[in-house]
Amino acid sequence: RATRDWKAPTKLADDAILPDLPTLIARSRQMCRDNPHARSMKQSRIRNVIGQGIPPAPAARFTNGNDRTRFNEQILKLWNKWASTPRYCDAEGKKTFADVQRMAEGEMFEAGQFLIIIDTDTANGPGVPDIRLQLVDADRLDMAMLKNSETGNEVRGGVEVDDMGRPVRYWLTPSTSDYIYRRGQNRSTAVDA
């Protein structure tokens, strides 16, 4: 008798979360902006997880098992040049790789997810990898789209998934600050997973 008025509908996780997700993300962002405790927790998480940035540790070896010391040193030197020069690693040309990592961790804290678009269309210069990163807010995922009419795949919260539930594409709403908008799109645009 005590549980007669307890309504517990059976739902899939996505069906329970997605309708309220934009509101939850907006509230979380507002808390991190306006509440000193939430802001402090976010900064503490970024400081403890990312710190000054997470660097690579090249460990290439020859087939006989010996270290390729010179090769690894060259890789690390090239990496450091790319990672510490905003015009090389950031699509906007403003952030170092450590800055991108800190922003991504901040997005994980506030929104629970983030996207990074890897842009390989531009030439950075001799000896520098042609890779630029663009961090995309989770708010940009098109929550209204339910199905891709071309492929028939289901779209859950802006993420198009295949029959096994693996992400295939991310559907993003336009923004004036990114490459999707500059390419003349004014509706949701798919970015391959």
Side-chain angles (χ1 to χ4, degrees), residues 63-120:
T63 54
N64 64 7
N66 293 336
D67 283 341
R68 297 184 69 178
T69 306
R70 186 167 171 238
F71 179 73
N72 289 331
E73 289 170 356
Q74 289 173 338
I75 288 174
L76 194 55
K77 183 178 177 183
L78 187 59
W79 169 266
N80 288 333
K81 182 178 181 181
W82 176 83
S84 63
T85 309
R87 74 174 193 269
Y88 292 158
C89 69
D90 178 33
E92 297 173 350
K94 299 175 183 175
K95 296 175 283 300
T96 65
F97 185 64
D99 296 334
V100 171
Q101 290 177 43
R102 283 189 282 274
M103 287 183 68
E105 186 59 35
E107 275 296 295
M108 278 300 291
F109 185 87
E110 284 187 14
Q113 60 186 342
F114 66 91
L115 299 170
I116 292 182
I117 296 175
I118 300 173
D119 181 14
T120 58

Side-chain angles (χ1 to χ4, degrees), residues 20-30 110-111 113 138-139:
D20 296 323
L21 190 58
T23 302
L24 293 172
I25 291 174
R27 289 176 180 171
S28 175
R29 289 194 191 288
Q30 187 269 331
E110 284 187 14
Q113 60 186 342
D139 311 67

Side-chain angles (χ1 to χ4, degrees), residues 128-157:
V128 180
D130 291 338
I131 297 172
R132 290 190 179 155
L133 307 175
Q134 180 181 16
L135 189 65
V136 177
D137 294 338
D139 311 67
R140 297 268 318 283
L141 289 169
D142 187 351
M143 296 295 197
M145 181 174 273
L146 301 174
K147 194 173 224 39
N148 182 347
S149 58
E150 295 172 11
T151 64
N153 287 337
E154 184 179 2
V155 180
R156 299 179 193 161

